[in-house]
């Protein structure tokens, strides 16, 4: 089920002005990463990127990027399922109200299609960018409503598993030297303790987080508690399988006032969040709009956590500047109180797709782009260079 957007007073995503859609274009790109990224579910050397652009009658264009991987490892969705669901089900939903499209109307129409939040997010986020561009306001304004927003957001770096502790330290020195403060290490059973302890010794002052992408089980609770205590880890993200809320709650109790348990894969809807809150399964939440079905649900999750006095932070999925820009706008909302997994363009790409690229600023921050919508422009020539496929669909005949 796709949760309805937040109706919180003064809050953001209630009413978005309708746009008249003309055409949708899906681009598929092969983007080599500057260095391979290894997690407990595998190694990525390149991202298979889907970009959706929605064009409206006046020529304005809204953009979004899909976070699905090439293969269904992080989640059940993949580039292939998103392509299929988009053309077979979601673009027809969009077509039905093409003359007065809004993110809310799209989500309502799409709620009859079960699951597939990454595919739905792709459309919803392009609609948000387009609506903000038509209004001439930065995306953060549509998301926040009357609430205050930040002009820059604090970010950290998420570092893949390395071949040895020495190799990990070499990479961390590069990132720390570039100005990143908070360091997040990918771990799995057997590739954890020696790596995390080495990082802690080399960087005694750095906030240190770990992310296991579901790699541990019930038998590992004592080992994780010991690891967090001995290396002063502040956040342990998604150690257990996504359905194992009670196991996360057990770890949270065992950690006490030590490290916070963070959920990522486990929370994809407001209903799941309510259950996780009830079970006291976590102390902070990683919100990725591309994973939870879009910006409306992201804001709803943010608001719910704010009322429960739980800080949230914005995650990433190795996006190009197109997806990163959406994330940076979202991360400027008030309860995004912990550093985001949104690094500068050069941490991922030799050449990002957008102008201007994201650069790391003072205090380990990224600036929220000014201008309307996401405030960044995809560069056509760079898209063309990486393109492997392109497919367009007319959404309204009479234009
Ligand atoms: O679990 O947060 C995750 C990348 C791919 C898949 C899952 C995750 C990640 C990251 C990357 O941690 C964060 C980033 O985009 O810098
Ligand atoms: Mg994660």
């Amino acid at each position: 089920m796709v949760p309805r957007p937040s109706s919180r007073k003064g809050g953001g995503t209630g009413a978005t002005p309708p746009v008249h859609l003309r055409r949708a274009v899906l681009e598929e790109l092969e983007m080599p990463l500057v260095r391979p990224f290894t997690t407990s579910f595998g190694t990525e050397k390149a991202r298979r990127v889907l970009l959706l652009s929605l064009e409206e009658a006046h020529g304005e264009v809204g953009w979004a990027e899909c976070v699905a991987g090439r293969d269904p490892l992080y989640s059940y969705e993949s580039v292939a399922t998103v392509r299929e669901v988009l053309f077979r089900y979601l673009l027809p939903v969009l077509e039905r109200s093409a003359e007065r499209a809004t993110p809310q109307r799209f989500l309502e129409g799409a709620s009859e299609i079960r699951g597939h939040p990454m595919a739905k997010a792709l459309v919803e986020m392009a609609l948000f960018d387009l609506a903000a561009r038509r209004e001439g306001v930065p995306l953060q304004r549509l998301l926040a409503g009357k609430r205050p927003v930040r002009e820059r957001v604090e970010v950290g770096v998420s570092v893949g598993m390395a071949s040895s502790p020495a190799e990990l330290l070499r990479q961390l020195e590069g990132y720390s030297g570039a100005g990143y403060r908070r360091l997040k290490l990918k771990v799995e059973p057997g590739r954890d303790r020696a790596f995390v302890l080495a990082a802690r010794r080399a960087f005694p002052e750095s906030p240190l987080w770990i992310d296991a992408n579901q790699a541990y089980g019930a038998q590992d609770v004592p080992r994780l508690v010991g690891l967090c205590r001995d290396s002063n880890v502040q956040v342990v993200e998604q150690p257990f399988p996504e359905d194992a809320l009670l196991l996360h709650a057990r770890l949270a109790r065992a950690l006490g006032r030590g490290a916070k348990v963070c959920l990522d894969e486990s929370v994809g809807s407001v209903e799941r969040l309510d259950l996780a809150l009830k079970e006291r399964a976590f102390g902070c939440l990683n919100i990725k709009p591309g994973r939870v079905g879009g910006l409306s649900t992201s804001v709803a999750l943010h608001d719910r956590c704010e009322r429960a006095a739980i800080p949230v932070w914005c995650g990433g999925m190795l996006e190009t500047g197109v997806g990163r820009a959406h994330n940076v706008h979202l991360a400027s909302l008030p309860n995004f109180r912990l550093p985001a997994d949104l690094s500068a363009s050069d941490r991922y790409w030799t050449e990002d797709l957008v102008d201007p690229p994201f650069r790391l600023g003072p205090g380990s921050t990224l600036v929220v782009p000014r201008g309307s919508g996401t405030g960044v422009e995809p560069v056509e020539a760079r898209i063309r260079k990486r393109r492997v496929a392109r497919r367009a669909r007319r959404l309204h005949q009479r234009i």
Side-chain angles (χ1 to χ4, degrees):
M1 169 177 174
V2 177
R4 294 293 143 85
S6 161
S7 57
R8 185 178 186 277
K9 208 164 177 247
T13 62
T16 314
V19 294
H20 191 152
L21 294 174
R22 187 171 58 181
R23 197 167 74 123
V25 180
L26 186 73
E27 314 256 12
E28 186 168 339
L29 280 56
E30 178 78 3
M31 294 280 295
L33 289 160
V34 293
R35 72 160 45 123
F37 189 76
T38 301
T39 64
S40 60
F41 56 80
T43 298
E44 289 188 271
K45 296 198 171 87
R47 284 291 283 180
R48 194 75 168 197
V49 171
L50 293 177
L51 296 182
L52 179 69
S53 56
L54 295 177
E55 304 167 7
E56 54 93 61
H58 299 84
E60 197 72 76
V61 183
W63 289 85
E65 174 174 349
C66 186
V67 300
R70 184 194 313 257
D71 304 307
L73 301 174
Y74 168 83
S75 78
Y76 68 81
E77 290 183 272
S78 68
V79 166
T81 68
V82 168
R83 243 195 264 113
E84 170 73 6
V85 168
L86 183 71
F87 278 92
R88 187 184 286 247
Y89 302 107
L90 300 182
L91 292 183
V93 165
L94 206 50
E95 213 174 338
R96 277 191 253 147
S97 55
E99 284 170 88
R100 47 194 180 91
T102 66
Q104 298 77 25
R105 208 166 268 144
F106 166 71
L107 289 181
E108 264 171 47
S111 65
E112 65 198 39
I113 306 301
R114 232 173 272 280
H116 300 285
M118 293 176 176
K120 288 171 181 169
L122 179 62
V123 177
E124 192 246 25
M125 293 168 79
L127 285 168
F128 261 111
D129 181 31
L130 184 53
R133 285 174 194 263
R134 278 293 286 161
E135 287 289 280
V137 299
L139 177 59
Q140 63 177 179
R141 194 35 64 207
L142 281 194
L143 301 179
K146 295 191 171 64
R147 289 180 279 177
V149 288
R150 295 186 194 90
E151 289 176 10
R152 44 176 70 239
V153 301
E154 188 182 345
V155 303
V157 63
S158 172
V159 186
M161 291 192 291
S163 53
S164 66
E167 168 58 19
L168 177 66
L169 292 190
R170 207 182 58 76
Q171 292 183 21
L172 292 176
E173 271 146 28
Y175 292 130
S176 177
Y180 292 104
R181 238 170 63 76
R182 187 272 281 154
L183 308 171
K184 175 174 129 179
L185 311 182
K186 293 288 185 179
V187 293
E188 69 181 6
R191 284 215 270 181
D192 44 17
R193 199 172 167 85
F195 293 80
V196 182
L197 280 173
R200 173 47 77 216
R201 261 183 239 116
F203 300 93
E205 306 296 329
S206 302
L208 198 56
W209 298 6
I210 57 175
D211 184 0
N213 291 111
Q214 318 184 48
Y216 293 87
Q219 70 283 2
D220 297 314
V221 169
R223 162 208 197 118
L224 286 167
V225 171
L227 176 61
C228 290
R229 187 193 51 222
D230 298 346
S231 40
N232 187 21
V233 162
Q234 278 82 45
V235 169
V236 49
E237 179 178 347
Q238 198 69 51
F240 308 121
E242 65 178 62
D243 289 336
L245 285 182
L246 298 182
L247 201 45
H248 287 93
R250 196 200 300 172
L251 178 64
R253 276 195 304 278
L255 288 165
R257 298 175 65 82
K260 283 186 197 309
V261 171
C262 177
L263 295 177
D264 176 359
E265 291 93 314
S266 283
V267 176
S269 68
V270 175
E271 289 78 4
R272 282 289 285 177
L273 177 67
D274 282 342
L275 195 56
L277 283 169
K278 180 162 171 278
E279 300 295 351
R280 299 177 185 277
F282 68 110
C284 63
L285 182 68
N286 176 346
I287 300 179
K288 296 172 176 167
R291 167 175 64 71
V292 303
L295 292 162
S296 311
T297 300
S298 299
V299 173
L301 295 170
H302 161 277
D303 293 355
R304 196 77 124 235
C305 285
E306 189 170 43
R307 288 200 293 278
I310 289 184
V312 303
W313 55 283
C314 185
M317 294 285 286
L318 312 174
E319 288 96 338
T320 74
V322 175
R324 185 169 318 283
H326 283 270
N327 294 345
V328 168
H329 279 269
L330 177 69
S332 72
L333 268 59
N335 195 38
F336 281 89
R337 287 188 277 141
L338 297 173
D341 262 358
L342 307 171
S343 305
S345 295
D346 64 2
R347 181 257 173 274
Y348 312 93
W349 319 111
T350 49
E351 185 181 55
D352 203 341
L353 297 176
V354 300
D355 228 11
F358 286 93
R359 292 198 182 83
L360 193 66
S364 199
T365 59
L366 295 183
V367 170
V368 183
R370 305 315 307 162
S372 59
T374 60
V376 298
E377 301 302 329
V379 179
E380 168 65 22
R382 298 185 196 162
I383 292 178
R384 208 178 316 121
K385 207 155 82 183
R386 302 289 180 199
R387 178 188 290 150
V388 292
R390 182 175 189 276
R391 192 170 159 196
R393 166 94 157 232
R394 187 155 289 285
L395 294 173
H396 191 259
Q397 293 304 329
R398 285 187 321 210
I399 307 170

